[in-house]
């Protein structure tokens, strides 16, 4: 069951948490899956360029540099060896100092060549709470209004991607305390691909 699945969502919605559960659920059900975090790959590439910076500070760098590293990361990910499905933990957009910037512009999308885009969503109130409570990261804000606006932007960007790549979008809801259910919903979608 090869192929690439983009799993995207706004900061703090719970992507990485849910995908950790997905790894466990897939192992229990003997479904081969490989999960890659796009931000980790970019952070390693920044390091190799002599810029060892926190993952939450990459988006403050110049767009031209972020774009080069972003494309390089997509190429690295596209060369992942193995025959299992590849799940990419990433963002439909990044809030940079120059504006809202696509996480998967055309060249990145072409390199990743996804079969489907899965958007993880949650209620804006839940996202705001999760952002505010997570002291392990430097996320931008904990306001409900900002979360609401981010959720909208994520859908706008996902629709542009779906048109460019000709692939479907599925939305899964990551309810409070229900990360395992969300992971199970994602595994169902992955297994039902043609
Ligand atoms: P980023 O894009 O910034 O990496 P993310 O989408 O990967 O964010 P996580 O780091 O997985 O988000 O989760 C953000 C916070 O929300 C964490 O503190 C995590 O424990 C919490 N969280 C994630 N999912 C749930 C859930 N279903 N119920 C309650 N808390 C959750
Ligand atoms: P994350 O841990 O998923 O929040 O990723 C950390 C950081 O990596 C993000 O804040 C972005 O700066 C960067 N990042 C992740 N995915 C992408 C992407 N598709 N395009 C550009 N930057 C990305
Ligand atoms: Mg994450």
């Amino acid at each position: 069951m090869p192929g690439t699945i983009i799993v995207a969502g706004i900061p703090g919605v719970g992507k990485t948490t849910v995908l950790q559960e997905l790894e466990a659920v897939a192992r229990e059900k003997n479904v081969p899956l490989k999960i890659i975090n796009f931000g980790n790959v970019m952070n390693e590439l920044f390091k190799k360029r002599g810029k060892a910076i926190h993952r939450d500070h990459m988006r403050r760098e110049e767009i031209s540099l972020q774009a080069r590293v972003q494309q390089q990361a997509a190429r690295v990910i596209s060369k992942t060896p193995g025959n299992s499905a590849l799940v990419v933990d990433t963002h439909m957009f990044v809030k940079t100092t120059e504006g809202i910037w696509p996480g998967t512009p055309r060249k990145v999308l072409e390199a990743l060549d996804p079969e489907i885009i899965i958007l993880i969503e949650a209620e804006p109130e839940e996202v705001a709470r999760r952002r505010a409570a997570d002291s392990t990261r430097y996320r931008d804000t904990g306001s409900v209004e900002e979360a609401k606006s981010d959720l909208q932007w994520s859908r706008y960007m996902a629709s542009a991607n779906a048109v460019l790549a000709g692939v479907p979008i599925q939305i899964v809801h990551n309810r409070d305390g229900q990360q395992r259910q969300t992971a199970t919903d994602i595994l169902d979608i992955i297994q039902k691909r043609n």
Side-chain angles (χ1 to χ4, degrees):
M1 196 181 50
T4 299
I5 296 110
I6 289 181
V7 174
I10 65 173
V13 76
K15 297 177 294 297
T16 305
T17 305
V18 165
L19 293 182
Q20 272 164 6
E21 285 290 335
L22 176 66
E23 198 158 37
V25 177
R27 204 179 311 117
E28 286 161 25
K29 297 190 177 174
N30 281 318
V31 180
L33 274 189
K34 185 157 176 121
I35 298 167
I36 292 193
N37 182 296
F38 200 103
N40 283 352
V41 178
M42 280 185 66
N43 205 234
E44 280 302 313
L45 292 169
F46 265 102
K47 217 179 281 170
K48 280 191 188 151
R49 287 168 179 254
K51 274 197 178 246
I53 52 177
H54 190 276
R55 63 193 304 115
D56 285 318
H57 295 157
M58 296 191 290
R59 63 179 176 272
R60 296 188 194 156
E61 294 292 321
E62 276 191 6
I63 293 249
S64 57
L65 173 61
Q66 288 186 66
R68 280 197 296 279
V69 176
Q70 182 194 46
Q71 273 188 38
Q72 206 182 344
R75 279 197 300 274
V76 168
I77 292 170
S78 73
K79 288 183 188 137
T80 306
N83 288 320
S84 53
L86 185 64
V87 176
V88 183
D89 175 347
T90 192
H91 297 246
M92 283 290 114
F93 70 91
V94 177
K95 277 188 166 163
T96 71
T97 50
E98 291 167 67
I100 289 169
W101 179 61
T104 47
R106 189 173 50 81
K107 281 187 185 165
V108 170
L109 191 63
E110 281 170 4
L112 294 179
D113 191 22
E115 289 184 3
I116 186 165
I117 295 166
I118 300 177
L119 271 192
I120 299 186
E121 294 190 350
E123 293 306 317
E125 291 77 11
E126 290 172 324
V127 176
R129 264 200 312 273
R130 287 173 200 167
R131 286 176 176 177
D134 185 1
S135 58
T136 67
R137 297 287 301 266
Y138 302 105
R139 295 197 184 87
D140 290 335
T141 163
S143 96
V144 175
E145 280 312 309
E146 187 96 13
K148 225 182 250 178
S149 155
D150 288 353
L151 286 159
Q152 286 173 338
W153 272 108
S154 206
R155 286 192 180 192
Y156 301 153
M157 291 290 187
S159 76
N161 276 256
V163 171
L164 278 176
V167 298
I169 298 171
Q170 288 254 9
I171 294 178
V172 295
H173 210 91
N174 180 29
R175 293 183 174 79
D176 264 343
Q178 300 296 308
Q179 51 266 43
R180 196 178 165 88
Q181 182 57 52
T182 315
T184 306
D185 293 346
I186 292 177
L187 189 61
D188 283 348
I189 293 168
I190 291 174
Q191 290 191 289
K192 279 181 188 145
R193 286 175 308 146
N194 289 317

